[in-house]
Amino acid sequence: MYETVIGLEIHAQLATKSKIFSSASTAYGAEPNTQACAVDLGLPGVLPVLNQEVVRMAAKLGLAIGAEVAQRSVFARKNYFYPDLPKGYQISQYELPIVKKGQLQIEIDGEEKTIAITRAHLEEDAGKSDHEAFQGVSGIDLNRAGTPLLEIVSEPDLRSPKEAIAYMKKLHTLVRYLDICDGNMQEGSFRCDANISIRPLGQEELGTRTELKNLNSFRFVERALNIEIERQIDVIESGGKVVQETRLYDADKNETRPMRSKEDANDYRYFPDPDLLPVVIEPAFLDEIKTALPELPDDKKQRFMQQYGLSLYDASTLIGSRELADYFEETLKASGGEAKLCANWVIGDLTGLLNKHNLEIGDSKISATQLAGMLRRLSDKTITGKIAKTVFEAMWKGEGDADSIIEKRGLKPITDSGAIEQLIDEIIAKNPKQVADYRAGKDKLFGFFVGQVMKASKGKANPAQVNELLKTKLNSN
Ligand code: ADP
Ligand code: MG
């Protein structure tokens, strides 16, 4: 038996308008090389100037993960050669990162687990090589060069691909709550390098790790990790040794393959960048950020559990995005009803439909007010759960709010006991054998009658009323 050990390095692109050391735009999708100025191109004679906004954003994250925000941090040069890196070095932070020693809570199988975060440091992104657009030659697009990144490094605390995904999702939620990253994974705004090793269960010492590069969807991370675990087990079981290296995940072939042998920090010849001053953060600057922090996901989660009595699962699902949490609270308030009922509809039917249509909560075809209107009719028993589904679908299709749909489609419940009694009489007449059996003591058949009457009423009869009337009729002979 082996235990899996995973540590993630997540690159969150900071949502600034301009780059980390220049005033060029960070907007995505422009024509190649139209958003790279002399600083991003690494031309001689220019100097980088730090964008203060990135310091604020990094500090925000630091405070949100209960980390130490360094009073003094230092930019360093990480030297390597690559065509998309014009300066021949990347400006990053090395010995003195801006954020140290934080943690993040994840929820896994109904339990909470704390994952330690080693550090988060600021750095610039490199450009992009394009090996496909031109015949026989590679193109370089430097629009992305100099885009601000916050690299968030976890301790090797994760024990399964599932935990890794939970951690990644939680961090994804957090950076969006903080408004420091748009979280757009398709555009590469939030990407992950996953370090993974295995060790015999019970062994203290960590196994040799491999690093899987640039995984840009939750699904790929999970698949890549699972495939890599299998590969490492195969290597060890067949008497070999896992080699420390960087590997690439090929989604088409669903395999990982070696990219390069793992470089050592020494290979990068790190040294403090002489063009940049150390970053010094004043306590007042931090205080200001602290006061302006929004309610954080974990605080919201705790509040949802306490204030509304929701389970850990419901609360963690609802706080998945600020918009979803707000939608839930707005609906609940407007419905004036039960939190659990509201949570069920938001997490279940609504999220289901949104996923099916690939929509975000902000694009929901049912507004919080509309859903609240339906929940009110459920709570006051105007409609049954079954009819609610019909009403819900009609609202999604744009047929208006619950009350008018109930009216228009004739979904009003049958409350008239005379009408229900008539249905019961018909059912009794149609099923003489069951009636005889029931009267002879086969109590279990009662459910059968309830079902038949409900069906005959097309779900519009009130089950409690049906129960009562049925009992009287069946027992009165
Ligand atoms: P580097 O800077 O060379 O990428 P670090 O030591 O900073 O290496 O570690 C990078 C990531 O790898 C961290 O997230 C860390 O938790 C993780 N890690 C380190 N050792 C292991 C291991 N044996 N197995 C799995 N993950 C590991
Ligand atoms: Mg690394």
Side-chain angles (χ1 to χ4, degrees):
M1 278 293 278
Y2 295 94
E3 180 176 48
T4 305
V5 175
I6 300 168
L8 298 185
E9 297 165 273
I10 288 179
H11 289 89
Q13 180 179 322
L14 296 175
T16 55
K17 292 208 165 61
S18 60
K19 293 189 176 171
I20 182 167
F21 300 119
S22 84
S23 57
S25 167
T26 54
Y28 180 84
E31 281 293 299
N33 299 311
T34 54
Q35 290 177 175
C37 69
V39 174
D40 310 320
L41 295 173
L43 297 183
V46 295
L47 287 171
V49 177
L50 180 62
N51 181 343
Q52 185 185 263
E53 203 47 33
V54 306
V55 177
R56 182 187 300 279
M57 289 178 170
K60 254 178 153 178
L61 179 91
L63 292 171
I65 58 170
E68 185 186 318
V69 179
Q71 249 179 46
R72 184 171 175 278
S73 62
V74 168
F75 283 103
R77 291 186 180 180
K78 180 178 181 179
N79 299 280
Y80 65 92
F81 174 78
Y82 205 72
D84 64 19
L85 190 73
K87 295 193 297 295
Y89 60 85
Q90 176 195 27
I91 305 176
S92 181
Q93 294 185 313
Y94 183 54
E95 281 167 326
L96 297 171
I98 187 161
V99 170
K100 283 180 283 199
K101 295 200 186 94
Q103 74 273 322
L104 198 69
Q105 246 182 28
I106 60 172
E107 296 80 34
I108 200 89
D109 299 329
E111 292 195 18
E112 292 174 311
K113 177 171 174 179
T114 301
I115 306 301
I117 293 179
T118 320
R119 56 187 273 151
H121 60 260
L122 287 164
E123 62 185 27
E124 58 177 346
D125 208 344
K128 240 188 209 161
S129 304
D130 185 342
H131 306 297
E132 262 128 53
F134 312 99
Q135 189 84 41
V137 289
S138 291
I140 306 282
D141 176 7
L142 291 170
N143 282 351
R144 208 179 61 182
T147 298
L149 300 178
L150 188 62
E151 175 170 344
I152 305 154
V153 184
S154 86
E155 287 290 305
D157 282 355
L158 301 155
R159 291 290 170 269
S160 67
K162 208 165 144 198
E163 287 191 10
I165 298 300
Y167 168 82
M168 201 177 164
K169 284 194 171 158
K170 194 63 182 283
L171 199 56
H172 189 248
T173 294
L174 182 62
V175 296
R176 283 177 304 140
Y177 266 66
L178 296 172
D179 258 337
I180 62 173
C181 170
D182 67 20
N184 188 327
M185 297 175 76
Q186 263 133 35
E187 294 178 3
S189 302
F190 190 86
R191 47 194 204 259
C192 168
D193 299 340
N195 295 268
I196 174 163
S197 62
I198 58 170
R199 62 181 170 191
L201 204 60
Q203 176 183 304
E204 186 89 21
E205 196 192 331
L206 292 177
T208 304
R209 73 182 199 259
T210 58
E211 179 172 352
L212 306 175
K213 273 283 179 202
N214 262 335
L215 301 164
N216 65 354
S217 81
F218 295 120
R219 197 152 45 96
F220 282 177
V221 173
E222 188 160 14
R223 279 211 239 150
L225 287 171
N226 278 318
I227 265 296
E228 180 61 10
I229 293 170
E230 276 177 34
R231 192 194 65 86
Q232 292 190 7
I233 292 177
D234 279 352
V235 168
I236 290 175
E237 300 270 282
S238 57
K241 277 203 165 107
V242 173
V243 182
Q244 184 167 340
E245 64 189 354
T246 302
R247 298 178 71 88
L248 197 72
Y249 174 63
D250 182 333
D252 294 330
K253 293 191 180 142
N254 198 30
E255 63 173 28
T256 70
R257 56 171 178 268
M259 196 159 111
R260 54 171 189 254
S261 67
K262 177 78 186 157
E263 51 294 284
D264 211 73
N266 282 332
D267 298 333
Y268 289 124
R269 293 163 289 125
Y270 279 102
F271 64 89
D273 192 315
D275 287 344
L276 284 157
L277 291 167
V279 181
V280 174
I281 295 184
E282 303 285 348
F285 180 76
L286 273 191
D287 287 344
E288 186 199 313
I289 295 173
K290 209 180 272 175
T291 340
L293 281 183
E295 182 180 31
L296 298 172
D298 281 338
D299 297 334
K300 211 187 263 296
K301 184 181 76 187
Q302 291 305 333
R303 181 167 67 78
F304 277 18
M305 286 163 62
Q306 273 155 23
Q307 187 175 341
Y308 305 130
L310 294 177
S311 66
L312 176 65
Y313 174 81
D314 286 349
S316 347
T317 310
L318 288 170
I319 58 107
S321 80
R322 226 157 125 174
E323 293 76 17
L324 187 68
D326 288 349
Y327 183 99
F328 163 75
E329 285 203 284
E330 213 182 302
T331 307
L332 182 60
K333 210 162 160 199
S335 79
E338 207 196 314
K340 177 65 186 156
L341 178 73
C342 182
N344 285 349
W345 278 89
V346 173
I347 294 172
D349 295 74
L350 184 66
T351 305
L353 266 182
L354 290 170
N355 289 345
K356 187 172 144 199
H357 296 280
N358 221 340
L359 294 172
E360 300 287 324
I361 184 74
D363 312 313
S364 170
K365 304 230 185 286
I366 299 175
S367 70
T369 323
Q370 281 180 310
L371 183 56
M374 191 200 84
L375 293 179
R376 271 202 304 277
R377 293 301 156 257
L378 251 178
S379 299
D380 69 15
K381 302 221 159 54
T382 302
I383 54 173
T384 57
K386 192 161 168 240
I387 297 226
K389 302 246 178 211
T390 312
V391 173
F392 187 79
E393 273 162 32
M395 287 198 299
W396 182 271
K397 286 190 195 130
E399 290 182 28
D401 53 25
D403 284 341
S404 63
I405 291 168
I406 293 169
E407 188 64 50
K408 248 189 305 189
R409 292 202 176 191
L411 298 171
K412 270 245 166 66
I414 308 172
T415 44
D416 173 20
S417 56
I420 297 176
E421 279 178 55
Q422 199 180 329
L423 290 176
I424 292 177
D425 290 341
E426 285 165 23
I427 298 293
I428 287 181
K430 254 193 255 168
N431 299 283
K433 180 162 164 20
Q434 279 87 345
V435 174
D437 286 353
Y438 174 78
R439 287 183 177 151
K442 216 171 167 194
D443 291 345
K444 268 194 292 185
L445 276 172
F446 191 72
F448 161 79
F449 289 108
V450 175
Q452 290 296 309
V453 176
M454 287 307 292
K455 201 168 143 196
S457 79
K458 300 198 176 68
K460 290 192 283 185
N462 175 335
Q465 204 177 357
V466 170
N467 263 283
E468 203 174 305
L469 292 171
L470 250 178
K471 227 169 252 164
T472 331
K473 290 245 173 203
L474 284 172
N475 296 342
S476 73
N477 234 314

